[in-house]
Amino acid sequence: MSEENTVTFYLHDNLRQQAMAGRHNFMLKLSEVLTSAGMTVAFDDDTDAARLRAIARPGRSLHLMENPATARGLTLRRTYLYPFWHIERQGKRWDWPVAHAQFSPCAQNPTKAADFYRFWQNRLFDEGPAQATRDGFVYVPLQGHLTTCRSFQFCSPIDMVQAVLDHDPGRKVIVTLHPSEDYSPLEQDALNALMHDHSRLDVRSGGMERYLRNCDYVVTQNSGAGFMGYFFGKPLVLFGKTDFHHIALNVGDIGLAEAFARVDRHEPDYAAYLYWFLQKRSINAGRPEVLQKIRTVLRGHGWPV
């Protein structure tokens, strides 16, 4: 088989070992589609050196959560929960086709949407969503780069927390730190200064499910915790671009004052949205039709499958 017909997966160590052993369902299904079309599947790591190898290799490539190294590549990303995935031309979720698509709750089958919603509420959180309350606080899950405003953000995360305190002067604000981030002394000092000035602000770690269950609403740049809040029926205020913005209040679109003015009465159709976003607009690797869905997506990207 020629090198031009080889598709190389560029994955981190644990996932690569699972995929090579056939123990990762989505990678296994994707490989099956590729090999059935006469292609050879290979694996490499996801280091900078591997990206250079991807550029030099004549075949195609699949990268996990990274922009493809060449025009012959695509990116793979889990759609916030297993077994849902996307295969896209680029790594920026806010520029994916689903982010630019129009969501219409009326166009969704209400029975299928309700069944889908209940199933995944129970699957992910057991009785948590059924026990959801609004206990008078705002949940703000932070990500990284707290003092920097990046290109996809309305403001820096520190300024976002300040905006919540300014625009919701009555509620307690619970901020959580991301467990995978290493926050610098400058970032920690900025948070400590906010806590010194605002007794309503509390900084914690972990506890996503508990805070989603009991908060009044969620505020984030584009953390997946905000997406998970939809399973609890919790309104979301976004300060950044993302792919799941359709039923959120995005300050970049409507402004700070308007977003916070609307949040208490914001009641989108969460069931219809999650059914549309996950079941219709991503690849469900647990469904019987997954091979055809993968094939259709790859053909849409111009791959000969």
Side-chain angles (χ1 to χ4, degrees):
M1 185 63 64
S2 68
E3 291 185 350
E4 288 82 1
N5 256 352
T6 298
V7 179
T8 304
F9 289 69
Y10 294 87
L11 308 171
H12 61 73
D13 287 343
N14 289 341
L15 186 58
R16 188 175 72 256
Q17 294 300 325
Q18 291 180 40
M20 291 175 65
R23 291 185 284 105
H24 190 284
N25 184 54
F26 176 66
M27 301 298 172
L28 182 64
K29 299 296 185 184
L30 180 50
S31 297
E32 184 177 340
V33 170
L34 295 169
T35 55
S36 68
M39 300 181 186
T40 298
V41 169
F43 296 91
D44 202 342
D45 58 40
D46 61 350
T47 61
D48 290 340
R51 287 188 67 85
L52 292 176
R53 291 193 290 271
I55 293 171
R57 286 168 174 155
R60 301 174 188 271
S61 60
L62 292 165
H63 301 262
L64 183 68
M65 296 174 58
E66 298 287 345
N67 283 323
T70 72
R72 302 184 306 278
L74 297 170
T75 186
L76 309 172
R77 188 167 187 140
R78 180 167 55 92
T79 313
Y80 304 102
L81 60 143
Y82 290 109
F84 301 96
W85 288 81
H86 271 264
I87 304 173
E88 301 290 350
R89 294 184 184 276
Q90 61 171 306
K92 294 179 180 178
R93 294 175 291 161
W94 52 89
D95 281 333
W96 286 355
V98 66
H100 298 288
Q102 295 295 314
F103 165 65
S104 172
C106 298
Q108 314 311 314
N109 183 305
T111 301
K112 289 183 178 180
D115 290 345
F116 181 88
Y117 191 48
R118 284 192 297 269
F119 175 84
W120 283 101
Q121 283 178 313
N122 293 332
R123 174 78 171 268
L124 294 169
F125 303 109
D126 295 321
E127 297 299 316
Q131 299 169 352
T133 60
R134 296 195 178 184
D135 292 351
F137 70 89
V138 185
Y139 173 40
V140 186
L142 293 178
Q143 295 155 282
H145 304 277
L146 299 187
T147 58
T148 302
C149 179
R150 291 183 278 178
S151 61
F152 60 89
Q153 297 174 326
F154 179 81
C155 63
S156 73
I158 284 291
D159 289 339
M160 175 181 71
V161 176
Q162 182 67 67
V164 177
L165 293 162
D166 291 343
H167 287 81
D168 193 334
R171 290 181 174 93
K172 184 175 182 177
V173 178
I174 296 180
V175 165
T176 58
L177 302 177
H178 196 286
S180 298
E181 292 289 342
D182 185 15
Y183 295 100
S184 69
L186 178 64
E187 292 172 312
Q188 295 174 35
D189 289 345
L191 277 175
N192 289 334
L194 280 179
M195 284 192 290
H196 180 270
D197 293 339
H198 300 276
S199 60
R200 295 183 294 117
L201 177 62
D202 194 356
V203 178
R204 304 178 185 177
S205 297
M208 180 191 76
E209 181 176 344
R210 174 161 58 99
Y211 299 132
L212 288 177
R213 184 176 65 245
N214 301 128
C215 71
D216 289 5
Y217 62 93
V218 184
V219 176
T220 185
Q221 295 283 357
N222 62 5
S223 168
F227 178 79
M228 293 301 180
Y230 291 160
F231 289 98
F232 291 81
K234 297 303 174 76
L236 174 62
V237 176
L238 285 172
F239 275 70
K241 297 177 182 179
T242 190
D243 51 338
F244 56 84
H245 63 88
H246 306 80
I247 60 170
L249 299 167
N250 196 320
V251 299
D253 296 331
I254 62 177
L256 276 167
E258 185 65 18
F260 284 94
R262 290 189 198 178
V263 71
D264 283 331
R265 62 180 189 275
H266 188 58
E267 297 181 357
D269 190 334
Y270 296 104
Y273 181 72
L274 288 169
Y275 176 69
W276 174 79
F277 186 86
L278 290 171
Q279 187 61 31
K280 288 189 170 182
R281 298 293 311 207
S282 67
I283 299 169
N284 184 344
R287 294 284 299 174
E289 67 273 15
V290 60
L291 296 180
Q292 185 54 47
K293 186 67 176 284
I294 291 172
R295 194 172 290 113
T296 298
V297 171
L298 290 176
R299 285 174 180 170
H301 293 309
W303 283 34
V305 295

